[in-house]
Amino acid sequence: MSKRILVTGGAGFLGSHLCERLLKEGNEVIALDNYFTGHKENLYHLLDYKAFEVVRHDVTMPYFAEVDEIYNLACPASPVHYQYNPIKTIKTSVMGAINMLGLGKRVKAKVFQASTSEVYGDPHVHPQTEEYWGNVNPIGPRACYDEGKRSAETLFTSYHEQNGLEIRIARIFNTYGPRMDMNDGRVVSNFIVQALKGEDITVYGKGNQTRSFCYVDDLIDGFIRLMNYPENYPLPVNLGNPGEFTILELADKIIDLTGSKSKIVYSSLPQDDPMQRKPNIDRARKLLSWEPTIDLERGLISTINYFENKIKK
Ligand code: NAD
Ligand code: UDP
């Protein structure tokens, strides 16, 4: 059955893929965005859908629409962007959550929060399970994002417990794919663009820190399964690809796949940069029968093709 669905951050990387998937499934979709890191261009290919609306709006301000479901994705995700205006970042997470939860309560919509592996900070438990409370510096450069997302989880849980609101919390691990912003500073887009342009590949620190990279289509599939889970499930669910790679391995793979002559150059590791990250996805496997199906090489090839076309334009 067709649903009316609000996607905040709809013009961003993940938001645009989510809108596309929801429209293809026959839903009515409102994409809401303030275009801080997202682009209208990410949605151009969807504008022919009669069931699609795009609204310029900032989630720190209340918004009203009669909807059945809300996916709350609005928030810059790249460290470069979320550290640009830390006060705005935490306001976006906290006030955005309050406004979307308030809307959900009023119209009785189910509300989904795009949380993050950053709630685990620089983790002492590896791989990270949902039970782990994390190791976050509350006054460090990543705090505006990490603590904002942690507070949002608290707000979601409180609205569920106090008001019976139906909520979903996805803890997303590093995700990549087409429509990442070329200049947003995240590692996969940086390395691919540098490799394609023959520029130096900028590895921060020694490159021995690890990340687990999930291809966007797999992640969006996890979003939909979690939102559609037929029972109330207010606990957080890790969504990510458990394959774990050092940043140096990622650089080598991208150099290899692009056939680039770029050299690797090293610079200092940003403060509080987590040393390791890998999701334990047992909960998602059991609950949602979900696991990623696209390995790093296949996902990188499709992302490289996207950036190749983008650079040519
Ligand atoms: P993105 O930066 O591409 O998208 C975020 C979108 O939110 C952008 O379109 C931006 O303009 C919009 N936005 C920012 N502040 C806003 C505000 N105040 N009001 C309205 N819109 C606002 O990032 P993304 O990778 O698509 O991330 C989407 C969500 O998923 C974010 O909440 C992010 O924290 C979360 N997440 C992403 C990843 C990842 O690896 N991509 C990992 C963990 C969590
Ligand atoms: N990184 C890097 N070079 C870059 C961009 C990022 O070495 O040009 C490193 C960064 O220090 C971190 C990892 O890659 O250890 C992932 O960074 P990203 O910003 O993509 O996401 P994070 O997981 O840190 O939020």
Side-chain angles (χ1 to χ4, degrees):
M1 205 186 65
S2 169
K3 290 175 284 195
R4 294 162 304 177
I5 303 176
L6 174 64
V7 178
T8 77
F13 161 50
L14 298 180
S16 66
H17 285 275
L18 178 62
C19 289
E20 181 169 338
R21 169 81 187 259
L22 294 171
L23 285 165
K24 281 185 176 153
E25 289 180 355
N27 298 293
E28 277 181 50
V29 176
I30 304 173
L32 181 156
D33 210 291
N34 72 347
Y35 305 115
F36 174 47
T37 51
H39 305 279
K40 285 183 195 163
E41 196 187 342
N42 286 339
L43 300 174
Y44 282 168
H45 66 298
L46 301 177
L47 294 178
D48 284 341
Y49 279 93
K50 291 198 174 60
F52 189 44
E53 275 172 75
V54 186
V55 178
R56 181 192 288 267
H57 184 83
D58 194 304
V59 286
T60 59
M61 311 295 276
Y63 176 77
F64 184 81
E66 288 283 351
V67 289
D68 305 304
E69 291 179 353
I70 303 166
Y71 286 87
N72 185 36
L73 271 62
C75 185
S78 153
V80 179
H81 285 135
Y82 70 62
Q83 288 170 25
Y84 170 75
N85 184 344
I87 297 171
K88 178 70 191 207
T89 300
I90 195 159
K91 276 188 180 171
T92 294
S93 276
V94 173
M95 294 163 75
I98 291 171
N99 287 327
M100 290 308 124
L101 288 162
L103 173 60
K105 184 179 159 192
R106 195 159 161 194
V107 301
K108 296 193 171 46
K110 213 192 286 182
V111 194
F112 174 109
Q113 169 65 357
S115 190
T116 169
S117 53
E118 281 288 312
V119 300
Y120 302 121
D122 193 2
H124 293 153
V125 168
H126 194 73
Q128 292 78 56
T129 57
E130 290 88 349
E131 281 81 21
Y132 178 48
W133 291 356
N135 174 40
V136 172
N137 174 1
I139 54 166
R142 299 173 85 100
C144 58
Y145 182 75
D146 299 9
E147 298 291 14
K149 291 284 188 179
R150 286 169 68 94
S151 304
E153 287 199 7
T154 311
L155 282 160
F156 269 70
T157 308
S158 302
Y159 269 77
H160 169 71
E161 286 173 356
Q162 216 174 310
N163 295 318
L165 198 72
E166 203 173 335
I167 60 157
R168 300 287 188 269
I169 300 173
R171 289 189 180 152
I172 307 162
F173 285 66
N174 298 58
T175 300
Y176 69 100
R179 296 209 286 274
M180 285 184 98
D181 187 322
M182 191 135 75
N183 303 311
D184 96 342
R186 280 184 271 189
V187 68
V188 174
S189 45
N190 267 10
F191 285 3
I192 293 179
V193 172
Q194 290 163 344
L196 290 173
K197 290 186 170 170
E199 295 168 357
D200 290 344
I201 309 259
T202 53
V203 167
Y204 304 156
K206 295 195 183 97
N208 58 348
Q209 69 272 38
T210 68
R211 292 292 185 275
S212 298
F213 300 101
C214 186
Y215 188 68
V216 60
D217 291 356
D218 279 331
L219 185 81
I220 298 299
D221 190 54
F223 277 18
I224 308 265
R225 283 176 195 239
L226 179 56
M227 185 62 123
N228 291 347
Y229 184 68
E231 286 159 44
N232 231 331
Y233 195 83
L235 298 177
V237 179
N238 285 342
L239 293 179
N241 190 320
E244 184 184 10
F245 298 87
T246 66
I247 294 306
L248 215 45
E249 282 170 335
L250 177 75
D252 286 337
K253 230 178 212 332
I254 290 175
I255 291 175
D256 195 34
L257 291 172
T258 51
S260 173
K261 295 206 166 54
S262 291
K263 288 192 317 294
I264 292 177
V265 295
Y266 295 88
S267 57
S268 55
L269 191 67
Q271 191 197 325
D272 295 344
D273 199 290
M275 271 316 288
Q276 52 181 2
R277 208 183 264 158
K278 171 186 162 96
N280 173 316
I281 58 164
D282 289 351
R283 187 174 281 180
R285 278 200 180 103
K286 232 180 269 161
L287 197 71
L288 313 173
S289 309
W290 176 85
E291 65 181 353
T293 57
I294 299 161
D295 67 21
L296 184 60
E297 186 156 324
R298 204 171 126 213
L300 283 177
I301 291 171
S302 118
T303 313
I304 290 167
N305 286 340
Y306 168 80
F307 280 114
E308 233 161 9
N309 287 329
K310 192 101 186 140
I311 288 168
K312 264 191 230 144
K313 269 190 195 164

